[in-house]
Every structure is written in structure tokens, then in C-alpha cells.
Amino acid sequence: MKQMKAGIALASVLAFATGASLAAGKTLIYCSEGSPAGFDPARYTAGTDFDASAETVYNRLVEFVPGSTQIRPGLADKWDVSADGRTYTFYLHKGVKFHTTPYFKPTRDFNADDVIFTFARLTDKNLPFNKATNATYPYASDMGMDSNIAKVEKIDPYTVKVSLNKVDAAFLQNIAMSFASVMSAEYADQLLKAGKADQINTQPIGTGPFIFQAYQKDSVIRYNGNTEYWRKGDVRLDKLIFAITTDPSVRYQKLQKGECQIMSYPRPADLKAMQSNPALKVPSQAGFNLGYVSYNVTHKPLDKVEVRQALDMAINKKAIIDAVYQGAGQLATNPMPPTQWSYNKTLKDAPNDAAKAKALLAKAGLPNGFEITLWAMPVQRPYNPNAKLMAEMIQNDWAKIGVKAKIVTYEWGEYLKRARAGEDDAMLIGWNGDNGDPDNWLGTLLGCEAVDGNNYAKWCQKDFNDLIVKARSLPNQAERTKLYEQAQVIFKRDVPFTPVAHSTVYQPMRKEVDGFKISPFGLNSFYGVGLK
């Protein structure tokens, strides 16, 4: 039945895509792994949401060079930074047009007002638009941006000054991230006056290379190429279609048949066949990612460090990497990948030792173990190709020390929402680096500011937090590195989560795809992508 439904959905996609554009080779179909929760990137933290919005519909003031962690000008042609590192002046690109759609027709080009609105939305809870949507912006708050931006001033229609309360060494990298996508102030005003502010999440308007057309949940997202796009050469497609296909085996079948030209997240078991198929190419690179098991330290008995140490010690990571990643991953020790500067190379894992783990539980007053829920993600992510299998293996490992784990799962958006609310005991989750800065790992996943966001462990440790807050304020990379290395020692001692693996990223596509670059951040962008 599942395959039949997928076939019907695909038929509707192909029916839409047929015609002159497809015949001319200008329609690209991307077999994506899941439905986005919405199209307002400031509200979300998952790559599935960013691919469908920030990487298609929107731009940012500063952007990452495709396939790189380096930044380049975006909607800002250039910028100045004050001597004290707390004031940034952005000089905006002129002649940039917002999308024209059946639901919005702009009367002016992009200008400073749009930047003012974008930052106000992220920092001002009393903004009328924010009150109308009642939305939260987890990235802005997790990174402390909402409290650190002191003022955003319009110097003239194409110059904006952003003042910070304190130095943030990663500020430019942070605003290059998906959540900082620039919105149309004019569109927001139109929605607010009509009493439809939340429509910004379902009918997006941006300046990006693709114009949103339609979305059918669990089926398809449709975009048109932006013929008025301001950066020449980035739009080489007439139409872009996301064929939402949750089953990786079905995605592979569609790719083989030419029913899509690119697919997300292959099964490791399929890679060898893909690599030998002459119609396909499968570029790969070391993943800038981490898959881990998070422990909710607000739930007993996970509030005890001995219990977390015992659970950590009981997990057979090598067996998981062999079975789940099938050679496409490496064992993780730290809360960041080895390719991230400031990675502490001196840290080692505790031995995989059931007897010692039992002794730790006994020390914590739990000689007979305890019961726990273990959440398993319903989707594939770059950092975890098979969460169900991983959960079953961890369940078996924990049973050996008397811990009975009940495996739980939810739809992906619900999974993240419930986890942020702290409903889980332990959960499988992971992270793709967003900007190449260590704070994006240690601050975003483990900082006190992030306990209601991506810090799923709800772990707020003062010594650790003091170190990362201080590091964030320093311009010198060597000084920052020393602080981050110390913070990792505290993490390893307290075990708010168990790092399991860093996966290798493989990107299967048909040979005719041209210009696609693997993102170090686990995103799928179609800037400059075409079909030969």
C-alpha cells in the first residue's frame, strides 16, 4: 500500500512537470526525505525545513559559499566592523526584487526596512507581528542573538547598522545561517493588516532563486525558477520539485528510473549498487555532523551523573557503526567532529564495560536498574541513517545492565516539538554544523541559553557555560580554542549526551545533474544547479 500511494503521488508530480520545460531539461525533481513543518526558517532548526525554505525561497545578508564553510556577500555587498567588534555596518545590494505571486505583488525593491523587520522579529517579543503569530525563534534564542543585538538602525535606504551588547566572534557566520533569512517587511505588513500574519509560514515570499508555488504535505512542493533573480547564473532551472518520499528504498527506485534526478540520504546498504550504476554518480565527503544519544537531566534518575556514565559505558558504539553506518561512519568521542577547530584530541571514551556500568548504577542506588523511554527518530538524517536499528541495539545494550528501554517515536515535527518540551527520557538526535564555529556545537547544543531549544539534555552547567560564553566574546582563535578544549573536558565528565558517530555524507544523483555541491552543513541547495 505504501508503494502504491507513493506511486500515485509521483504520478501527480510528473503530470505537473510534463510539458515544454521537462522536455527542455529544465525541470529538476528532488526526492526529499520528509515534509517541512513550515516555510518560515526562523521558526525551525531541521534541515528538512531549511531545504524547503531558506535554501530555495530566501537569501541572507551574508551567505556561505556553496559547498564551503566560508562566507561571501549576500544581500549585503560589503560590511564594516568597528574596532571594538560590536558594531557591523552593512551596505545592501540594490535592485533586488521580492517574489511576485498570486498572493503578493511587491511595490518596491528590497531595502533597509526589510533588514530592520527581519532582526526585529528575532529580537523583539513585543513586535506586533510576533504577537500576532505567537511564534518562537529557537536559533536566535539558543545562540543568545535575541539578547545580544542592542540596536538595528537604518542609516539610509541601503545601509544598516547592527550594534551588539557584547562581542560575538561568530556573528557573521551566524547571520549566514538559514534562520536569519531576510523577510519582506511589506509582505508582513500586508499579512498583519489582513489578520493573517501566520501565513508567512505557509505562503513564503523571499528574494531567493526559486518562487514558491504549492505544497501538498507528504507529497510534493513546487517552485518556479526566479527569472528576476539578482545573482546571475544561480538559476538554471525553470521548475524545481520536491517529491517527498520518506522510504529510502523508494527514493532509490525513483532515482534509478529517472523519476527524480537527486535523492536525499541513501541507505548504506544501497551505496555499492549506486556507485556501480553508469547512469548515476555518488559524490561523498566527510560529514561535518554528529549522531548522539541525549539524556534529559531533568528526569530522574538521569539527573545523576553516575547513571548517565553507566548508560554511556553500556553502549557498544563499534557494533552500531558496523551495523547502522556500514562503513560510512567513524566513532564519535566529543560533542563536535574532529574537523572542527578547537576539537580536544586528548579526550577518550570510557570503555564499553557492562560490569563497570552495573557498578555505577549500584553506586547511584539502582542495583536492579530502572525503566526508561528511548526515542528514535522517524526520518533519516545525515548523522543517522537508521535510527530504529540504532535504538534497538542500544535497547539491547542497556538490557545487559538491567535498564529496560521502551522505544518511542513520533512524526518528525512532533518529535522535535515534544523533545524541546522535555517529554523524553533519552532520545536519538544529532547535528549538522551550521557555520563552522565551535559555538555552533557547544553553545547551541549544550549552552544554558539553549535549554528550551536544541539543548535537548536540558543540561545547564555553570563552569561549562562560563567557558563558552567567554570564548564567544574573544576575537583571538587560539584563546577561544583553549576555552573550548576545557569545556569539552567538563562535557566528557558529566555526559549530558553520548556521542555515537560522525557519518560520511553520500549524495546520489543522475549523471545529467550539473553544479550540485555537497553542503558541509547537511543542507540541499540548488543555487547554480542545472541539467546537462
Side-chain angles (χ1 to χ4, degrees):
M1 179 63 83
K2 190 180 219 177
Q3 290 195 2
M4 185 181 296
K5 286 183 178 178
I8 292 169
L10 180 66
S12 67
V13 172
L14 291 177
F16 170 82
T18 53
S21 291
L22 186 58
K26 294 291 183 68
T27 293
L28 187 144
I29 300 176
Y30 165 57
C31 280
S32 64
E33 78 290 351
S35 293
F39 294 87
D40 177 358
R43 302 187 191 195
Y44 305 109
T45 61
T48 305
D49 304 310
F50 294 152
D51 287 352
S53 58
E55 299 304 307
T56 49
V57 176
Y58 295 105
N59 292 113
R60 286 143 302 281
L61 288 178
V62 180
E63 299 186 342
F64 291 105
V65 175
S68 167
T69 60
Q70 300 300 309
I71 57 174
R72 69 177 183 184
L75 291 173
D77 286 330
K78 58 182 180 177
W79 50 86
D80 297 328
V81 185
S82 63
D84 66 1
R86 290 171 48 196
T87 303
Y88 292 75
T89 304
F90 295 95
Y91 303 93
L92 309 182
H93 194 82
K94 296 178 181 178
V96 176
K97 300 189 181 304
F98 279 100
H99 301 157
T100 295
T101 69
Y103 52 88
F104 178 68
K105 292 178 172 51
T107 64
R108 62 166 177 81
D109 290 350
F110 156 77
N111 64 28
D113 292 335
D114 304 302
V115 180
I116 299 288
F117 169 72
T118 296
F119 281 108
R121 209 169 65 112
L122 298 177
T123 60
D124 183 3
K125 292 181 180 178
N126 294 317
L127 188 74
F129 192 87
N130 282 346
K131 288 187 173 182
T133 61
N134 200 32
T136 58
Y137 307 111
Y139 256 124
S141 58
D142 285 4
M143 303 169 87
M145 186 180 290
D146 54 351
S147 58
N148 195 31
I149 292 179
K151 191 188 301 182
V152 183
E153 302 170 85
K154 176 181 176 180
I155 307 303
D156 63 45
Y158 289 95
T159 309
V160 175
K161 182 186 289 185
V162 180
S163 301
L164 306 181
N165 288 314
K166 56 189 176 182
V167 174
D168 181 350
F171 181 69
L172 288 174
Q173 284 83 359
N174 290 344
I175 64 169
M177 290 164 53
S178 299
F179 80 92
S181 294
V182 174
M183 319 296 279
S184 165
E186 184 184 16
Y187 180 46
D189 286 343
Q190 173 184 303
L191 294 178
L192 188 61
K193 288 173 183 174
K196 298 179 179 179
D198 216 45
Q199 192 172 295
I200 205 166
N201 192 36
T202 57
Q203 295 185 320
I205 291 291
T207 58
F210 297 95
I211 301 172
F212 176 82
Q213 294 297 300
Y215 170 47
Q216 183 180 345
K217 186 176 171 60
D218 299 329
S219 178
V220 62
I221 314 172
R222 302 167 179 170
Y223 308 88
N224 284 344
N226 183 1
T227 58
E228 296 185 310
Y229 191 55
W230 55 276
R231 185 185 279 137
K232 302 302 179 188
D234 270 5
V235 182
R236 299 171 58 196
L237 300 168
D238 292 333
K239 296 184 185 297
L240 173 64
I241 296 172
F242 282 31
I244 299 165
T245 313
T246 56
D247 188 326
S249 298
V250 178
R251 291 200 295 274
Y252 179 30
Q253 291 169 15
K254 292 180 180 180
L255 186 70
Q256 286 178 296
K257 295 175 182 177
E259 294 176 354
C260 60
Q261 287 77 42
I262 304 179
M263 67 166 281
S264 64
Y265 314 129
R267 293 192 315 155
D270 292 332
L271 287 169
K272 190 173 181 180
M274 289 178 177
Q275 290 165 335
S276 63
N277 186 330
L280 305 180
K281 53 185 175 181
V282 191
S284 65
Q285 67 182 33
F288 195 54
N289 60 41
L290 170 68
Y292 62 92
V293 188
S294 177
Y295 307 116
N296 187 338
V297 302
T298 68
H299 286 196
K300 294 183 180 299
L302 297 171
D303 57 328
K304 296 184 177 182
V305 66
E306 295 90 352
V307 171
R308 301 195 300 272
Q309 290 171 341
L311 294 174
D312 173 85
M313 191 177 287
I315 296 173
N316 187 338
K317 294 185 187 180
K318 185 180 183 305
I320 288 173
I321 289 169
D322 290 343
V324 176
Y325 294 87
Q326 299 186 23
Q330 68 181 99
L331 188 144
T333 301
N334 293 12
M336 58 171 69
T339 50
Q340 172 65 67
W341 63 265
S342 81
Y343 180 90
N344 190 331
K345 297 177 182 177
T346 68
L347 297 178
K348 306 294 180 187
D349 268 350
N352 175 220
D353 190 323
K356 287 185 179 179
K358 283 183 178 179
L360 283 169
L361 289 183
K363 182 180 176 183
L366 297 161
N368 299 316
F370 59 95
E371 295 184 2
I372 190 174
T373 59
L374 173 60
W375 290 19
M377 302 178 304
V379 296
Q380 279 185 286
R381 301 302 302 148
Y383 49 75
N384 191 334
N386 191 336
K388 181 176 182 291
L389 176 58
M390 186 186 290
E392 289 168 351
M393 294 182 73
I394 292 172
Q395 181 186 50
N396 185 57
D397 288 339
W398 286 349
K400 295 174 184 175
I401 63 169
V403 175
K404 296 179 181 178
K406 178 184 177 183
I407 296 174
V408 175
T409 193
Y410 297 96
E411 181 271 330
W412 186 221
E414 189 72 10
Y415 186 93
L416 295 175
K417 180 181 176 183
R418 287 174 177 263
R420 287 198 185 95
E423 294 183 21
D424 63 296
D425 291 332
M427 67 181 292
L428 297 184
I429 193 66
W431 194 250
N432 293 287
D434 287 311
N435 62 18
D437 192 272
D439 187 68
N440 184 238
W441 300 91
L442 302 184
T444 304
L445 302 183
L446 294 159
C448 292
E449 291 168 322
V451 292
D452 292 324
N454 290 304
N455 183 346
Y456 294 107
K458 311 298 181 187
W459 181 70
C460 177
Q461 209 278 356
K462 185 180 185 304
D463 293 339
F464 176 94
N465 204 67
D466 287 348
L467 287 167
I468 62 170
V469 169
K470 184 177 179 182
R472 192 183 295 158
S473 70
L474 299 175
N476 184 284
Q477 185 167 312
E479 293 177 15
R480 295 182 74 202
T481 293
K482 290 178 184 177
L483 298 177
Y484 288 134
E485 287 177 344
Q486 293 174 43
Q488 289 168 74
V489 172
I490 296 172
F491 162 85
K492 203 64 182 168
R493 180 196 70 203
D494 278 17
V495 201
F497 65 68
T498 295
V500 177
H502 311 290
S503 72
T504 302
V505 175
Y506 293 87
Q507 185 60 70
M509 64 188 80
R510 294 192 64 82
K511 283 279 178 70
E512 59 265 28
V513 175
D514 179 54
F516 188 95
K517 293 181 171 63
I518 297 176
S519 165
F521 309 125
L523 301 174
N524 292 281
S525 301
F526 298 91
Y527 302 95
V529 177
L531 295 169
K532 293 180 182 176

